Amino acid sequence: MKKKLALALAAVMMIGLFAGCGGNKTASSSNAAGSQASSGSAAQAEELNVGVFYYDFSDVYISSVRASMDEQLTAMGVKFTNYDAAGSQPSQTEQVNTAITGGTNLLIVNIVETATSDPAKDIVDAAKAAGIPVIFFNREVADNDVINSYDKCAFVGTNAPDAGHMQGEMIGNYLMEHYDEVDLNGDGVISYVMFKGQEGNAEAEARTQYGVEDADAILTAAGKPALSYYDASASTKYLVDTAGKWSAQAANDYMVSLLGSYNEDNGNMVELIICNNDGMAEGAISALQNVGYNNGEGTTIIPVFGVDATDSAKALIKAGNMTGSIKQDAVGMATTIMTLVQNAKDGAELMANTGSFTVDADVAKIRVPYAMYDANTQD
């Protein structure tokens, strides 16, 4: 009798042991599957492990997107980790590969390198090999080489030319209303400088081109001369942040240097400043303020235009120290990305539930709209 009881107890223990091993194996397999379809959104919420890869934490606009994304991911109840590439594509690529190896099963990528599609393609290939979705955002990536190469790949960003067109329109209209006061030396021509964020970046290229072209179109249609670049001998009509960081420091350094030669005393003062983003606009304004401009009421205001409408830029505009910006909606960017994250969490197609957004016709790209922002804009 004792022998039979012992055998029965042993059998129960063996059944429990096998059940435990089977349970662990199922959990491991589910985690590896990542965002692939499974039953129950509650289970998927536990499994979703998001890696968010930013090109540079120091970028003011990107910091705004990150703050909103952190808040919304936390509210969604998913696990996530932020990564700072600090402007280095090799670092970001390594971060992505390490994250995938560590169990990340949804990639959200703010790509560093935009002059070539190779880095984004490498990340897509890594995601495809792991069978996990990848969402690129903010910095444009190629249609066919990247987005269309994988059915679990999408992009959330803006329509790059729109910011340049809006900025050019804003500048042209402002100059038509304030031409004589902007023309400090009275020569009938507005002298400008353009601060470009990065070579080869779609947003930077469009803003640099259309910010001037569209302003010129308004001016010349009214019989005014086109804008004149401050340095007539320059081979390129912009000053670029050579580090590709769109930084306030780069614009400040350029502005401090050029003010030594181009100023009111010499009769050749830069009369208009156009910037690809608000960070560079703020750097230029700081240099102007150091020599007595743009300090508010009672001081000469050199019109400065940027893009992003960050909180700090809005404050400068409201104070009269900056003229205008083009709003790139950081919260809207994050909220749109969250729609795709929710799809991944629920096991749905990545581009499900996007009917209310502006989506490109032949590629999984969602466009978040820009808007003009000046002192009359109501927040």
Side-chain angles (χ1 to χ4, degrees):
M1 182 69 181
K2 290 181 178 179
K3 184 176 181 180
K4 290 181 179 179
L5 180 60
L7 288 171
L9 289 171
V12 171
M13 291 175 65
M14 289 299 291
I15 291 169
L17 178 61
F18 282 121
C21 291
N24 289 338
K25 184 176 180 181
T26 300
S28 176
S29 175
S30 178
N31 286 337
S35 64
Q36 294 177 0
S38 66
S39 61
S41 61
Q44 290 206 339
E46 295 173 359
E47 295 164 4
L48 199 59
N49 184 359
V50 181
V52 191
F53 303 86
Y54 294 95
Y55 99 95
D56 198 329
F57 276 6
S58 69
D59 185 291
V60 176
Y61 172 72
I62 290 300
S63 295
S64 300
V65 176
R66 178 160 54 97
S68 184
M69 197 104 76
D70 287 355
E71 181 180 348
Q72 295 189 53
L73 284 167
T74 300
M76 191 179 288
V78 300
K79 178 181 178 182
F80 68 95
T81 304
N82 291 332
Y83 298 86
D84 179 17
S88 168
Q89 186 58 61
S91 294
Q92 185 177 73
T93 302
E94 182 180 358
Q95 288 168 349
V96 169
N97 291 330
T98 301
I100 292 174
T101 301
T104 294
N105 52 30
L106 172 60
L107 309 177
I108 303 175
V109 182
N110 179 216
I111 197 77
V112 175
E113 179 58 63
T114 58
T116 171
S117 63
D118 289 344
K121 186 66 169 67
D122 290 342
I123 290 173
V124 168
D125 289 344
K128 188 187 298 185
I132 63 176
V134 53
I135 304 164
F136 291 95
F137 75 98
N138 175 248
R139 296 161 74 85
E140 192 83 21
V141 294
D143 290 6
N144 293 329
D145 287 350
V146 180
I147 302 298
N148 288 340
S149 70
Y150 183 35
D151 61 356
K152 295 180 182 178
C153 183
F155 171 78
V156 177
T158 57
N159 185 41
D162 287 353
H165 288 309
M166 287 184 181
Q167 190 182 58
E169 180 183 348
M170 180 180 277
I171 292 167
N173 289 336
Y174 178 85
L175 291 177
M176 290 305 302
E177 294 180 13
H178 304 276
Y179 202 92
D180 289 343
E181 62 191 84
V182 174
D183 183 16
L184 295 178
N185 63 1
D187 66 353
V189 179
I190 303 300
S191 170
Y192 79 98
V193 61
M194 166 69 77
F195 291 118
K196 183 177 182 180
Q198 184 180 27
E199 294 284 20
N201 177 277
E203 285 78 14
E205 298 296 339
R207 294 170 192 180
T208 300
Q209 177 181 351
Y210 299 121
V212 175
E213 281 187 7
D214 288 24
D216 283 347
I218 292 172
L219 292 173
T220 56
K224 299 286 188 183
L227 298 174
S228 175
Y229 194 65
Y230 81 100
D231 181 359
S233 65
S235 57
T236 55
K237 304 304 181 184
Y238 56 79
L239 297 173
V240 67
D241 183 346
T242 55
K245 290 180 174 288
W246 309 57
S247 72
Q249 189 61 57
N252 183 267
D253 290 346
Y254 277 130
M255 200 71 206
V256 168
S257 177
L258 71 86
L259 282 170
S261 300
Y262 297 88
N263 51 60
E264 280 197 85
D265 289 342
N266 290 341
N268 58 359
M269 176 70 183
V270 172
E271 297 161 328
L272 168 67
I273 299 172
I274 310 172
C275 302
N276 280 180
N277 75 331
D278 287 342
M280 301 188 90
E282 290 181 41
I285 289 169
S286 177
L288 289 171
Q289 290 177 330
N290 286 339
V291 292
Y293 296 95
N294 293 51
N295 283 309
E297 189 175 350
T299 64
T300 299
I301 302 297
I302 306 298
V304 179
F305 294 85
V307 176
D308 288 336
T310 60
D311 288 344
S312 53
K314 288 178 182 178
L316 287 170
I317 291 169
K318 295 299 185 185
N321 302 326
M322 181 173 169
T323 308
S325 184
I326 305 304
K327 181 181 179 180
Q328 185 172 200
D329 189 355
V331 175
M333 182 81 68
T335 301
T336 305
I337 293 168
M338 288 306 103
T339 298
L340 305 189
V341 174
Q342 185 69 51
N343 289 338
K345 177 183 172 183
D346 294 342
E349 293 291 330
L350 191 59
M351 288 293 287
N353 308 304
T354 58
S356 63
F357 299 125
T358 300
V359 181
D360 287 7
D362 55 355
V363 62
K365 288 186 171 182
I366 303 174
R367 304 296 179 175
V368 180
Y370 288 106
M372 294 184 185
Y373 190 98
D374 61 20
N376 297 316
T377 304
Q378 297 297 315
D379 289 324

